Amino acid sequence: MSREDNDAKTFYVTTPIYYVNDAPHIGHTYTTVAADAIARYQRLRGGTVLFATGTDEHAEKVRRAAEAAGLDPQGFTDRVVASYYDAWQRMKISYDRFIRTTEDIHKETVARVFGELMEKGDIYKDQYQGWYCVPCETYLREDELVDGRNCPDCGRPVEEMAQDAYFFKTSAYGEAVMRAIENRPELVQPDTRRNEVLSFIRHGLRDNCVSRLNTGWGVPVPGDEEHVVYVWFDALVNYLTVAGYGYDDERFARLWPPDVQLVGKDILPRFHATIWPAILMALGLELPRIIFGHGWWISASGDKISKSRGKVVDPQAEVELLIEESGCTTDVATDSVRYYLLREVPFGHDGTFSSEALLGRFNADLANDLGNLLNRTLPLVKRYLDGEIHEPGPGAGALAEVAQSAVTRAEQGYAELDFRAMLQATWELLAAANKFVDQRAPWDLYKTGKKVELAAVLYDILDSIRIAALLISPVMPTVSEEIWRQLGLDSMGVDMSWDDCEAGGMPPGAKVRRGRPIFPRIDMDLVRKRVAQEARQEEEEEQQDMITYDDFQRLDLRVARVLDADRIEGADKLLKLTVDVGEEQPRTLVAGIAQQFGPRELIGQHVVIVANLEPATIRGVQSQGMILAAGEKEPLALIVADRECEPGEKVR
Ligand code: MSP
């Protein structure tokens, strides 16, 4: 099939592929829901779509997480990937392809691409001397570090690295990538991010290290088993694997280039807007049409209503919250969370996730504007028209203009990935329809026997609801289906199609069916009262957990100077420390801080230890005390004396 044949182009939309050391969270969900809305919209328009998502499994942090769980990496990723399948099923993600980087076809494609670039001289071997951030899986130069030891992206300590490695000639493509981004404003979006990217490139692109020493996890470098392909190179190639690059030319011709690639803003400048286009240029391939870097969600501080625990918002917990507070179905709650994510902030901006705002939108936008319009209109059709939609007749079409404008703006919103504007346009149509009910008062028309007018008014309202259901169906697929059902359209055999967005498309003869209200209202006063009561209860419980001053006095906290620090063989997380506590002999401690702190940065530090903790033998080493560090799940910062003091000094 030739690429000249434009109709043959399959609309190809991608999300990043996600690391499997973490279960899916709001970040993964956000990108994936947005991509899902795009895919559904394109299908609704009758297009052929390939929507791909998946998992990035060859990361060092994945290997370490597997080790910590006592599993081999493949067994570990096989297990975690299930949580992605499950999450996407719950969120109604209609992907066509879920790619795992551990699939053979992908490993073959990575090796093929790497080999091609080696042959062309775009990948060469040299010495790598620098730093690596394991959580971000990023190679960093000394001048990029913060405070000389922390990652500029996540702020966590980096690891030093010196090894033979393979490099990709990113620098050779810097100019060309920059020109492409400048000449094609659509390529990298939104504009603010595009400017960030351009300034990142202007700072100068250096060649990227694209391999790691082989620790038994990853795709081996072709012809050199001592090295594996760097996980980011491996991951970016997934977009080519999905498209059939190198093994299915016909498929590739249909899919390439991707139409929309969605990513979070953090992985745009360094990866998707530089290395990725550079690799494609090196391969002589067309660049994607749009690469869009969306913003980040943070959780509202003090959001007491949220069911998510900790700093990371869990979309499933928010779904449960909606079900609990409103009594709606799981499907409706899921659609409502999808709606909130795409409605609350402009795509591209950061947002604060607040459960209170989620419940608020459920009440205002969904229960009031949309739900209420349906719930107040259907009974009128039942009562006055025997439940059947009549021919529009003369006088109908009063809302046609508003509807047309909503459709045009919604189309523009979808095309520009401005989901918020698209939803706002739809809600203007709903507002107009609600106002129309009030103004035209069908009950009065009935009373005064204006039958023709009554039929026309009800027709216009239902037609507007029908159009609104179509416009939002990519975002709220189940809700739209339910509206379709209640309007009697499914039993008329009318499928949803964007072509039917025009006003006047409601088929006469459809029999409306009242169902349960889709969005039962939430009593916010009640919610707030209950939350306040729960908070009080929690406070009381906390007070019961108080210890007395005497209890505290029993702890012997002391300043200790670290004399020596060593890794413990076979234990990734543990360090053996030798510390001076002002006693005759130094003490030995075992501390679970090896992943966050290197031995060299500890020696000489004045840390705080619990000196009267019962000794314990850990990995054959006797530990005589415990070092104090901040951080609930993992040690983030050590507690150190902020000025000169003697080892053994009491801490009180
Ligand atoms: N494996 C790489 C991507 C390789 S693609 C070739 C990766 N994986 S990830 O699991 O860390 O991806 C997380 C995605 O979620 C990123 O797009 C990131 O921007 C996004 N988010 C993570 N936390 C987020 C929020 N709190 N809010 C919105 N998105 C955020 O990176």
Side-chain angles (χ1 to χ4, degrees), residues 251-300:
R251 180 180 173 83
F252 193 72
R254 251 186 300 125
L255 284 168
W256 206 260
D259 292 273
V260 177
Q261 301 210 275
L262 296 187
V263 301
K265 63 176 183 179
D266 53 321
I267 56 174
L268 183 71
R270 199 183 286 280
F271 301 107
H272 283 86
T274 48
I275 306 181
W276 175 228
I279 292 175
L280 293 179
M281 283 180 177
L283 293 171
L285 295 175
E286 229 179 297
L287 302 189
R289 196 164 64 77
I290 295 176
I291 306 174
F292 196 102
H294 66 68
W296 269 50
W297 284 98
I298 52 162
S299 58

Short mmCIF file of all heavy atoms in Angstrom, two decimals, residues 251-300:
data_model
loop_
_atom_site.label_atom_id
_atom_site.label_comp_id
_atom_site.label_asym_id
_atom_site.label_seq_id
_atom_site.Cartn_x
_atom_site.Cartn_y
_atom_site.Cartn_z
N ARG A 251 2.53 -2.63 7.07
CA ARG A 251 2.01 -2.03 8.29
C ARG A 251 2.68 -0.67 8.54
O ARG A 251 2.04 0.32 8.87
CB ARG A 251 2.30 -2.99 9.46
CG ARG A 251 1.81 -2.51 10.81
CD ARG A 251 2.17 -3.56 11.87
NE ARG A 251 1.88 -3.11 13.22
CZ ARG A 251 0.68 -3.20 13.79
NH1 ARG A 251 -0.34 -3.68 13.13
NH2 ARG A 251 0.49 -2.78 15.03
N PHE A 252 3.99 -0.66 8.36
CA PHE A 252 4.74 0.55 8.62
C PHE A 252 4.27 1.69 7.71
O PHE A 252 4.10 2.83 8.14
CB PHE A 252 6.24 0.29 8.45
CG PHE A 252 7.09 1.40 8.99
CD1 PHE A 252 7.20 1.60 10.37
CD2 PHE A 252 7.74 2.29 8.14
CE1 PHE A 252 7.96 2.65 10.88
CE2 PHE A 252 8.50 3.33 8.65
CZ PHE A 252 8.61 3.51 10.01
N ALA A 253 4.03 1.36 6.46
CA ALA A 253 3.58 2.38 5.50
C ALA A 253 2.23 2.95 5.91
O ALA A 253 1.95 4.12 5.73
CB ALA A 253 3.50 1.77 4.11
N ARG A 254 1.41 2.11 6.50
CA ARG A 254 0.08 2.57 6.92
C ARG A 254 0.16 3.45 8.16
O ARG A 254 -0.64 4.35 8.35
CB ARG A 254 -0.76 1.34 7.27
CG ARG A 254 -1.84 1.04 6.29
CD ARG A 254 -2.73 -0.08 6.77
NE ARG A 254 -2.05 -1.34 6.98
CZ ARG A 254 -2.07 -2.03 8.13
NH1 ARG A 254 -2.73 -1.58 9.18
NH2 ARG A 254 -1.44 -3.19 8.24
N LEU A 255 1.13 3.13 9.04
CA LEU A 255 1.14 3.80 10.34
C LEU A 255 2.06 5.02 10.43
O LEU A 255 1.80 5.95 11.19
CB LEU A 255 1.54 2.81 11.43
CG LEU A 255 0.45 1.83 11.83
CD1 LEU A 255 1.01 0.71 12.67
CD2 LEU A 255 -0.62 2.56 12.61
N TRP A 256 3.18 4.96 9.75
CA TRP A 256 4.18 6.00 9.98
C TRP A 256 3.87 7.27 9.24
O TRP A 256 3.43 7.20 8.10
CB TRP A 256 5.59 5.47 9.62
CG TRP A 256 6.59 6.21 10.40
CD1 TRP A 256 7.36 7.26 9.99
CD2 TRP A 256 6.87 6.02 11.79
NE1 TRP A 256 8.11 7.74 11.03
CE2 TRP A 256 7.82 6.99 12.15
CE3 TRP A 256 6.40 5.13 12.77
CZ2 TRP A 256 8.32 7.10 13.45
CZ3 TRP A 256 6.90 5.24 14.06
CH2 TRP A 256 7.85 6.21 14.37
N PRO A 257 4.09 8.46 9.77
CA PRO A 257 4.57 8.76 11.12
C PRO A 257 3.43 8.79 12.14
O PRO A 257 2.26 8.92 11.74
CB PRO A 257 5.14 10.17 10.96
CG PRO A 257 4.28 10.79 9.91
CD PRO A 257 3.90 9.69 8.97
N PRO A 258 3.74 8.74 13.42
CA PRO A 258 2.68 8.85 14.43
C PRO A 258 1.98 10.20 14.29
O PRO A 258 2.62 11.20 13.97
CB PRO A 258 3.44 8.81 15.76
CG PRO A 258 4.76 8.20 15.45
CD PRO A 258 5.07 8.57 14.03
N ASP A 259 0.67 10.20 14.51
CA ASP A 259 -0.09 11.44 14.40
C ASP A 259 -0.01 12.25 15.68
O ASP A 259 0.14 13.46 15.64
CB ASP A 259 -1.55 11.13 14.06
CG ASP A 259 -1.65 10.56 12.66
OD1 ASP A 259 -1.76 11.34 11.72
OD2 ASP A 259 -1.55 9.32 12.52
N VAL A 260 -0.14 11.57 16.81
CA VAL A 260 -0.06 12.27 18.10
C VAL A 260 0.72 11.40 19.08
O VAL A 260 0.38 10.24 19.29
CB VAL A 260 -1.45 12.55 18.70
CG1 VAL A 260 -1.31 13.21 20.05
CG2 VAL A 260 -2.28 13.42 17.78
N GLN A 261 1.76 11.99 19.67
CA GLN A 261 2.48 11.30 20.73
C GLN A 261 2.33 12.13 22.00
O GLN A 261 2.80 13.27 22.07
CB GLN A 261 3.96 11.15 20.36
CG GLN A 261 4.14 10.37 19.07
CD GLN A 261 5.44 9.60 19.03
OE1 GLN A 261 6.47 10.16 18.66
NE2 GLN A 261 5.40 8.34 19.42
N LEU A 262 1.65 11.57 22.98
CA LEU A 262 1.45 12.28 24.23
C LEU A 262 2.51 11.85 25.23
O LEU A 262 2.77 10.65 25.38
CB LEU A 262 0.08 11.96 24.83
CG LEU A 262 -1.15 12.37 24.04
CD1 LEU A 262 -2.39 12.10 24.87
CD2 LEU A 262 -1.09 13.84 23.65
N VAL A 263 3.08 12.83 25.93
CA VAL A 263 4.03 12.52 27.00
C VAL A 263 3.88 13.56 28.10
O VAL A 263 3.31 14.62 27.87
CB VAL A 263 5.50 12.56 26.50
CG1 VAL A 263 5.72 11.57 25.38
CG2 VAL A 263 5.92 13.94 26.04
N GLY A 264 4.39 13.26 29.28
CA GLY A 264 4.41 14.25 30.35
C GLY A 264 5.54 15.24 30.10
O GLY A 264 6.51 14.92 29.39
N LYS A 265 5.42 16.42 30.67
CA LYS A 265 6.38 17.49 30.38
C LYS A 265 7.82 17.12 30.78
O LYS A 265 8.77 17.61 30.19
CB LYS A 265 5.98 18.77 31.10
CG LYS A 265 5.97 18.65 32.62
CD LYS A 265 5.65 19.97 33.29
CE LYS A 265 5.73 19.82 34.80
NZ LYS A 265 5.46 21.06 35.51
N ASP A 266 7.95 16.24 31.77
CA ASP A 266 9.29 15.90 32.25
C ASP A 266 10.10 15.06 31.26
O ASP A 266 11.31 15.06 31.29
CB ASP A 266 9.19 15.14 33.58
CG ASP A 266 8.27 13.94 33.48
OD1 ASP A 266 7.23 14.05 32.82
OD2 ASP A 266 8.60 12.89 34.06
N ILE A 267 9.39 14.34 30.39
CA ILE A 267 10.14 13.48 29.47
C ILE A 267 10.10 14.03 28.05
O ILE A 267 10.34 13.31 27.10
CB ILE A 267 9.66 12.00 29.54
CG1 ILE A 267 8.16 11.88 29.26
CG2 ILE A 267 9.98 11.40 30.88
CD1 ILE A 267 7.68 10.44 29.17
N LEU A 268 9.81 15.33 27.97
CA LEU A 268 9.75 15.96 26.64
C LEU A 268 11.13 16.46 26.19
O LEU A 268 11.68 15.97 25.21
CB LEU A 268 8.71 17.07 26.63
CG LEU A 268 8.51 17.74 25.28
CD1 LEU A 268 7.81 16.80 24.31
CD2 LEU A 268 7.68 19.00 25.42
N PRO A 269 11.73 17.43 26.91
CA PRO A 269 12.93 18.05 26.34
C PRO A 269 14.09 17.07 26.14
O PRO A 269 14.66 17.00 25.06
CB PRO A 269 13.32 19.10 27.39
CG PRO A 269 12.19 19.22 28.31
CD PRO A 269 11.37 17.99 28.21
N ARG A 270 14.39 16.31 27.17
CA ARG A 270 15.58 15.47 27.10
C ARG A 270 15.40 14.26 26.18
O ARG A 270 16.35 13.78 25.57
CB ARG A 270 15.93 15.00 28.52
CG ARG A 270 17.31 14.50 28.71
CD ARG A 270 17.49 14.00 30.13
NE ARG A 270 17.58 15.08 31.11
CZ ARG A 270 18.69 15.78 31.33
NH1 ARG A 270 19.78 15.53 30.66
NH2 ARG A 270 18.70 16.74 32.24
N PHE A 271 14.18 13.75 26.11
CA PHE A 271 13.98 12.50 25.37
C PHE A 271 13.12 12.65 24.10
O PHE A 271 13.62 12.50 23.00
CB PHE A 271 13.38 11.43 26.29
CG PHE A 271 14.26 11.15 27.48
CD1 PHE A 271 13.91 11.58 28.75
CD2 PHE A 271 15.45 10.47 27.32
CE1 PHE A 271 14.73 11.34 29.84
CE2 PHE A 271 16.29 10.22 28.39
CZ PHE A 271 15.92 10.65 29.66
N HIS A 272 11.84 12.96 24.30
CA HIS A 272 10.95 12.90 23.12
C HIS A 272 11.16 14.02 22.12
O HIS A 272 10.77 13.88 20.96
CB HIS A 272 9.49 12.86 23.58
CG HIS A 272 9.08 11.51 24.09
ND1 HIS A 272 9.28 11.12 25.38
CD2 HIS A 272 8.55 10.44 23.45
CE1 HIS A 272 8.86 9.88 25.53
NE2 HIS A 272 8.41 9.44 24.38
N ALA A 273 11.73 15.14 22.55
CA ALA A 273 11.89 16.24 21.60
C ALA A 273 13.33 16.38 21.13
O ALA A 273 13.64 17.28 20.35
CB ALA A 273 11.39 17.54 22.21
N THR A 274 14.23 15.54 21.60
CA THR A 274 15.61 15.63 21.10
C THR A 274 16.13 14.26 20.63
O THR A 274 16.27 14.03 19.44
CB THR A 274 16.57 16.21 22.17
OG1 THR A 274 16.35 15.54 23.40
CG2 THR A 274 16.39 17.68 22.33
N ILE A 275 16.37 13.35 21.59
CA ILE A 275 16.96 12.06 21.17
C ILE A 275 16.04 11.36 20.16
O ILE A 275 16.49 10.81 19.17
CB ILE A 275 17.19 11.11 22.37
CG1 ILE A 275 18.02 11.80 23.43
CG2 ILE A 275 17.89 9.84 21.92
CD1 ILE A 275 18.31 10.94 24.64
N TRP A 276 14.74 11.41 20.47
CA TRP A 276 13.77 10.70 19.61
C TRP A 276 13.80 11.22 18.18
O TRP A 276 14.07 10.45 17.24
CB TRP A 276 12.40 10.75 20.27
CG TRP A 276 11.24 10.18 19.50
CD1 TRP A 276 10.03 10.77 19.31
CD2 TRP A 276 11.16 8.90 18.85
NE1 TRP A 276 9.21 9.95 18.59
CE2 TRP A 276 9.88 8.79 18.28
CE3 TRP A 276 12.05 7.84 18.68
CZ2 TRP A 276 9.45 7.69 17.56
CZ3 TRP A 276 11.63 6.72 17.96
CH2 TRP A 276 10.35 6.65 17.41
N PRO A 277 13.60 12.55 17.95
CA PRO A 277 13.70 13.00 16.56
C PRO A 277 15.09 12.76 15.96
O PRO A 277 15.20 12.47 14.76
CB PRO A 277 13.39 14.50 16.62
CG PRO A 277 13.18 14.84 18.03
CD PRO A 277 13.14 13.61 18.86
N ALA A 278 16.12 12.85 16.78
CA ALA A 278 17.48 12.63 16.24
C ALA A 278 17.62 11.19 15.74
O ALA A 278 18.17 10.94 14.67
CB ALA A 278 18.53 12.94 17.30
N ILE A 279 17.08 10.23 16.52
CA ILE A 279 17.14 8.83 16.08
C ILE A 279 16.39 8.66 14.76
O ILE A 279 16.86 8.03 13.82
CB ILE A 279 16.54 7.88 17.15
CG1 ILE A 279 17.41 7.86 18.41
CG2 ILE A 279 16.36 6.47 16.60
CD1 ILE A 279 16.82 7.04 19.56
N LEU A 280 15.21 9.29 14.69
CA LEU A 280 14.41 9.15 13.46
C LEU A 280 15.14 9.75 12.26
O LEU A 280 15.14 9.18 11.17
CB LEU A 280 13.04 9.80 13.64
CG LEU A 280 12.13 9.10 14.66
CD1 LEU A 280 10.81 9.84 14.79
CD2 LEU A 280 11.88 7.65 14.26
N MET A 281 15.78 10.90 12.49
CA MET A 281 16.52 11.51 11.38
C MET A 281 17.67 10.61 10.95
O MET A 281 17.92 10.42 9.76
CB MET A 281 17.07 12.87 11.82
CG MET A 281 16.02 13.94 11.84
SD MET A 281 16.73 15.51 12.37
CE MET A 281 15.30 16.56 12.21
N ALA A 282 18.33 10.03 11.94
CA ALA A 282 19.45 9.15 11.62
C ALA A 282 18.97 7.94 10.82
O ALA A 282 19.68 7.43 9.95
CB ALA A 282 20.15 8.70 12.90
N LEU A 283 17.75 7.51 11.09
CA LEU A 283 17.21 6.36 10.35
C LEU A 283 16.58 6.79 9.03
O LEU A 283 16.12 5.97 8.25
CB LEU A 283 16.13 5.65 11.19
CG LEU A 283 16.58 4.94 12.46
CD1 LEU A 283 15.37 4.50 13.27
CD2 LEU A 283 17.45 3.73 12.13
N GLY A 284 16.53 8.10 8.81
CA GLY A 284 15.93 8.61 7.58
C GLY A 284 14.41 8.51 7.59
O GLY A 284 13.79 8.35 6.54
N LEU A 285 13.81 8.60 8.77
CA LEU A 285 12.36 8.46 8.87
C LEU A 285 11.70 9.80 9.15
O LEU A 285 12.30 10.69 9.75
CB LEU A 285 12.00 7.48 9.99
CG LEU A 285 12.45 6.05 9.78
CD1 LEU A 285 12.14 5.22 11.02
CD2 LEU A 285 11.76 5.45 8.56
N GLU A 286 10.44 9.89 8.75
CA GLU A 286 9.67 11.11 8.98
C GLU A 286 9.44 11.32 10.48
O GLU A 286 9.24 10.34 11.23
CB GLU A 286 8.31 10.93 8.30
CG GLU A 286 7.92 12.10 7.43
CD GLU A 286 6.58 11.82 6.77
OE1 GLU A 286 6.50 10.85 5.97
OE2 GLU A 286 5.64 12.55 7.06
N LEU A 287 9.42 12.59 10.91
CA LEU A 287 9.16 12.87 12.33
C LEU A 287 7.65 12.79 12.59
O LEU A 287 6.85 12.96 11.67
CB LEU A 287 9.65 14.27 12.69
CG LEU A 287 11.13 14.55 12.46
CD1 LEU A 287 11.51 15.89 13.08
CD2 LEU A 287 12.01 13.44 13.05
N PRO A 288 7.27 12.57 13.87
CA PRO A 288 5.85 12.53 14.20
C PRO A 288 5.18 13.86 13.83
O PRO A 288 5.86 14.87 13.66
CB PRO A 288 5.82 12.36 15.72
CG PRO A 288 7.18 11.92 16.09
CD PRO A 288 8.13 12.35 15.03
N ARG A 289 3.86 13.82 13.73
CA ARG A 289 3.13 15.05 13.40
C ARG A 289 3.04 15.96 14.63
O ARG A 289 3.32 17.14 14.56
CB ARG A 289 1.73 14.68 12.89
CG ARG A 289 1.03 15.80 12.16
CD ARG A 289 -0.15 15.27 11.36
NE ARG A 289 -1.19 14.70 12.23
CZ ARG A 289 -2.05 15.44 12.94
NH1 ARG A 289 -1.99 16.75 12.90
NH2 ARG A 289 -2.96 14.85 13.69
N ILE A 290 2.67 15.38 15.77
CA ILE A 290 2.56 16.16 17.00
C ILE A 290 3.18 15.39 18.16
O ILE A 290 2.87 14.21 18.36
CB ILE A 290 1.07 16.42 17.37
CG1 ILE A 290 0.39 17.28 16.33
CG2 ILE A 290 0.96 17.04 18.76
CD1 ILE A 290 -1.10 17.49 16.58
N ILE A 291 4.03 16.07 18.91
CA ILE A 291 4.49 15.52 20.19
C ILE A 291 4.01 16.52 21.24
O ILE A 291 4.39 17.69 21.19
CB ILE A 291 6.02 15.38 20.26
CG1 ILE A 291 6.55 14.58 19.07
CG2 ILE A 291 6.45 14.74 21.58
CD1 ILE A 291 8.06 14.53 18.98
N PHE A 292 3.18 16.08 22.14
CA PHE A 292 2.55 17.02 23.08
C PHE A 292 2.98 16.69 24.51
O PHE A 292 2.83 15.57 24.96
CB PHE A 292 1.03 16.93 22.96
CG PHE A 292 0.32 18.08 23.60
CD1 PHE A 292 -0.20 19.12 22.83
CD2 PHE A 292 0.18 18.16 24.99
CE1 PHE A 292 -0.85 20.20 23.42
CE2 PHE A 292 -0.46 19.24 25.59
CZ PHE A 292 -0.98 20.26 24.80
N GLY A 293 3.54 17.69 25.19
CA GLY A 293 3.97 17.49 26.59
C GLY A 293 2.95 18.08 27.54
O GLY A 293 2.84 19.30 27.67
N HIS A 294 2.18 17.22 28.21
CA HIS A 294 1.15 17.76 29.11
C HIS A 294 1.73 18.07 30.49
O HIS A 294 2.85 17.70 30.80
CB HIS A 294 -0.03 16.77 29.22
CG HIS A 294 0.34 15.48 29.88
ND1 HIS A 294 0.68 15.39 31.22
CD2 HIS A 294 0.44 14.22 29.38
CE1 HIS A 294 0.96 14.12 31.50
NE2 HIS A 294 0.82 13.40 30.40
N GLY A 295 0.91 18.76 31.30
CA GLY A 295 1.37 19.18 32.62
C GLY A 295 1.23 18.08 33.66
O GLY A 295 0.83 16.97 33.35
N TRP A 296 1.57 18.43 34.86
CA TRP A 296 1.54 17.48 35.98
C TRP A 296 0.42 17.78 36.95
O TRP A 296 0.06 18.94 37.16
CB TRP A 296 2.88 17.54 36.73
CG TRP A 296 3.85 16.56 36.17
CD1 TRP A 296 4.18 16.40 34.85
CD2 TRP A 296 4.59 15.60 36.92
NE1 TRP A 296 5.07 15.38 34.74
CE2 TRP A 296 5.35 14.88 35.98
CE3 TRP A 296 4.68 15.28 38.28
CZ2 TRP A 296 6.19 13.85 36.37
CZ3 TRP A 296 5.52 14.27 38.66
CH2 TRP A 296 6.27 13.56 37.71
N TRP A 297 -0.10 16.72 37.56
CA TRP A 297 -1.06 16.87 38.64
C TRP A 297 -0.32 16.78 39.96
O TRP A 297 0.52 15.90 40.14
CB TRP A 297 -2.08 15.73 38.61
CG TRP A 297 -3.10 15.87 37.54
CD1 TRP A 297 -3.08 15.27 36.32
CD2 TRP A 297 -4.28 16.66 37.58
NE1 TRP A 297 -4.18 15.64 35.60
CE2 TRP A 297 -4.93 16.49 36.35
CE3 TRP A 297 -4.85 17.50 38.54
CZ2 TRP A 297 -6.13 17.13 36.05
CZ3 TRP A 297 -6.04 18.14 38.23
CH2 TRP A 297 -6.66 17.95 37.02
N ILE A 298 -0.65 17.70 40.86
CA ILE A 298 -0.17 17.51 42.23
C ILE A 298 -1.40 17.39 43.12
O ILE A 298 -2.48 17.84 42.73
CB ILE A 298 0.74 18.65 42.71
CG1 ILE A 298 0.04 20.00 42.49
CG2 ILE A 298 2.08 18.65 42.00
CD1 ILE A 298 0.63 21.09 43.31
N SER A 299 -1.24 16.77 44.28
CA SER A 299 -2.43 16.63 45.11
C SER A 299 -2.56 17.86 45.99
O SER A 299 -1.56 18.42 46.45
CB SER A 299 -2.37 15.36 45.94
OG SER A 299 -1.24 15.39 46.74
N ALA A 300 -3.80 18.30 46.20
CA ALA A 300 -4.03 19.50 47.00
C ALA A 300 -3.60 19.22 48.43
O ALA A 300 -3.96 18.18 48.99
CB ALA A 300 -5.51 19.84 46.97
#
